[in-house]
Each structure stands twice: as C-alpha cells, then as structure tokens.
Amino acid sequence: MVDFAAIRNEFPILDQEIHGHPLVYLDSAATSQKPQRVIEAESEFYRTINAGVHRGAHELAARSTTAFEDARAKVAKLVGANAEEGEEEIVVTAGATAGLNLLATAFGNASLGRGGEAARRFALKPGDEIVVSKAEHHSVLLPFQELAARTGATFKWLDLTDDGRVRTDNLDEVITERTRIVAVTHVGNVTGAITDIAPIIKRTHEMGGIFVLDACQSVPHLKVDFHALDVDFAAWSAHKMYGPTGVGFLYGKREMLEALPPASFGGSMVELAWMDQPAQYMLPPARFEAGTQPVAQVVAAGVAAEWMMAIGMDRLEEHERMLTDELLKMGDIDGIRIIGPRENVKRIGTVAFDVEGVHPHDVGQFIDAQGIAIRVGHHCAQPVHRHFGLYASNRASCGVYNSIDDIDALLEALAKVRPFFEV
Ligand SMILES: Cc1ncc(COP(=O)(O)O)c(C=O)c1O
C-alpha cells in the first residue's frame, strides 16, 4: 500500500495558500512540483561534492563523476535502457526540446555527409520523407519541419481521430519505403491520449525508417521500457518527472548512438583535436554532451527517478487513473467540452477542455482566484487545437501528489464559471 497523502507531504510548495485558498496544483503537464528529497539532493551536491565531471584528478571530481554516472544509471533503469560503461544509452541534454533539436541537427549533419559511412542511415535527401503526427508539441513539429526544409525531404503527418488520437488505420499510406524518420508523441500533451505506437514503430521499421518517440508526457506517468517498445530514440525532460529544470535525457539504441554524428561541439566530447586535421570524437554518450554538464541537476534527476521507482510506476499509474476518472466528470458540467478522449481508456490524467462562451484566459483566471492552478493557451500544440476548431483551451493535469479533493475543488469551481460570466 502506498500512502499517497504522505507522498503529498513531501512537496513543500503544496503547503501554501493562493488568493486565500489552499493551493491546488493541476498543471503538472507543464511542469511537476519537486519533492523535498530532490530539492535537497541539488543543494547537498553543492554543499559536499561540487566539481566538474570527467575532468580533473582530484577526489571531489572523482566523487562528482561517480554521482553523475550513478544518476544516469538510475534514469536508464527507469526507462529500461542500458547503463553499463561502454554501453550507455542515455545522453544528458538540457531538456526534451534540446534532445529533439540535437537529433534533428545530427540527422542534418549526417545529410551533409558528416559521420562517414556509419551515419549514412540518418542522411536525408529530396524525395525522402519525414513523418510526424498532428498531435505533436511544437518541439517535435518544428525541428523536424526545419530538417525537412534543410534537406529537401518531404514533410508528412499522421492525422487524428475525432477525439484526438493519432490515427493508425492508414499507416501503409503515410509511412512508405521513402520514409526515413517517424517522430511521434507517446502521450498527447493536450488530449492526454496514449498513442498506439506499436503498429507505427512496426511499420516504420518494416520500411527501413528510424522511429523517434517524444516521451515527455509518458515517462512521468507510465511504466515505459524503450527496449520492449523497440524505439530507436526517445526524448524527455526531468522537470516533468519531479526533477529539476534545465535538464533532460535522450535515449538512443546503443548502435544508433554510436553511428550518429555529433550536433554540438566543444569540450568533453573530443578524443583528439588538431589545428590542421578534423577532430576525433568520443564515443556516446560523451560525444553528445559538449561543455560543462548540469551535474547537480542530473544528480537530483537521478534521485527523482529512484523515488518514482520506489513508489512503483504501476502504483503511480493506478493512482493517476483513479484521479482521471474523477477529472473526466467535468464532461458532465453544462457547456464543458473535453478536448480528447472522454473515456478513461488509453489516456492519462491530462484533460484539456473548452468552456462554451467563456475565453480560456477568463476561465483560467476565475479558477486561479480559487487557488487552483491550471494551464491556459495552446500548450505549444497549435495544430491539435485547429483540429478541434479552437485556438486555445484550458488544461488540468495531475501528478502523483494530487488527491480526489483537488479534483473535486476544480469540478466545483468549473461548475460556477458559466453562471459567473452569465453565459
Ligand atoms: C509532449 C511534449 N513534448 C515536448 C515538450 C517540451 O519539453 P521542454 O519544454 O521541457 O523541453 C513538452 C513540454 O511541454 C511536451 O509536453
């Protein structure tokens, strides 16, 4: 039995009032709150072992390197990736956006002939195809759209069903023998819908393509195993999984990472550098980690990963499924339309909605006045909103610290919105 009330008490930020009401935080899809142990891990690192990693022969440098690599191993374990030295499959990035841009830039570099023969598998040319879905966050949409523009590849996408799920009924039409890269979200950040990625991955691989997963909204909420899923690459952010801001991770199958050319250049990623010859780059993950690492943040992200595994991703999933059941009751309130699946099937506790006749910002402000934090706007996913005939929406999203009382406070406030605005 997990004591979720005790878990909530680990989050100091939740113990406060906003506008005279106890804070109800329902914006975890934007960023999660941090348990005390994660906050502590970061300051403890600075208090005791702060030093650069993989450089310097002194004891502190050795300790910080060990802490950094231990954290990488914990994160790897959370997602079913390899962590043994020489087999690492987790690259430290500045976040999901940085990881996705790293990939798109590296594929672009391969298209210019960088990385030699090994990198040819990533190279794109006119006539090749890149496929995304209409559910994508702009941090998938834009890097891959730019990559298409730079290489002359054709940019295509998988459409959505009426309730906003990525369509998989026409994969044979969209993913063809010309498709080189398919990049799709695991969970829609607007709809909360879990994408049926298995057939998309299968089709991509049958066509000889590379599959990239946006795991931003899945790793914090679902048990994921990238080996079992057979994804080639996956990117996500630490700050949505109870870890610090400014850091994220890119998973790559080891053989893929070894073949991929670097995307940014500088210290700590090069074996040999000369004035008059091309440099010889290090093996992954160092090849993709140019510059000084956000060591304290990575160490704290490792603590977050370990803490999630200790709760148990199954139990965390179960708790959030229970919250989602309650959250979806908003669909019964007059004038509220849920943007995404209305049933609690293959979805997470991220629910976007439209209140008929009231602008999302007015809804957000009204809800905020009751001490409840939700997101308003297009959530960096404009094509999804257009699919629903909207420009913006409201979004409530759960984390492990939420309770049924939180959801009920939201439902109660939502029921008052249209009467308040006299709609
Ligand atoms: C599905 C999805 N992908 C990518 C991102 C980008 O993450 P970050 O802003 O942490 O780089 C987000 C963040 O909102 C997201 O929800």
Side-chain angles (χ1 to χ4, degrees), residues 29 95-97 137 139 185 187 189 214 216-217 237 239-240:
T97 304
H137 188 280
S139 65
T185 191
V187 176
N189 71 310
D214 177 355
C216 248
Q217 299 291 350
S237 292
H239 71 92
K240 294 183 201 278

Side-chain angles (χ1 to χ4, degrees), residues 100-183:
L100 292 158
N101 275 280
L102 183 165
L103 269 186
T105 305
F107 294 158
N109 291 346
S111 309
L112 295 171
R114 309 295 296 165
E117 192 52 34
R120 287 243 331 248
R121 66 207 295 187
F122 305 115
L124 293 147
K125 58 182 186 322
D128 290 342
E129 295 170 352
I130 298 173
V131 175
V132 300
S133 87
K134 223 201 239 178
E136 299 314 310
H137 188 280
H138 296 163
S139 65
V140 171
L141 176 64
L142 301 182
F144 288 102
Q145 217 169 38
E146 275 294 313
L147 176 63
R150 284 202 300 273
T151 57
T154 304
F155 189 73
K156 295 168 73 177
W157 56 92
L158 293 162
D159 213 327
L160 305 181
T161 61
D162 287 347
D163 60 357
R165 292 188 184 279
V166 178
R167 273 179 61 185
T168 54
D169 57 326
N170 61 344
L171 294 178
D172 293 1
E173 270 166 50
V174 184
I175 302 172
T176 71
E177 65 284 343
R178 293 175 167 218
T179 304
R180 310 288 305 115
I181 295 162
V182 176

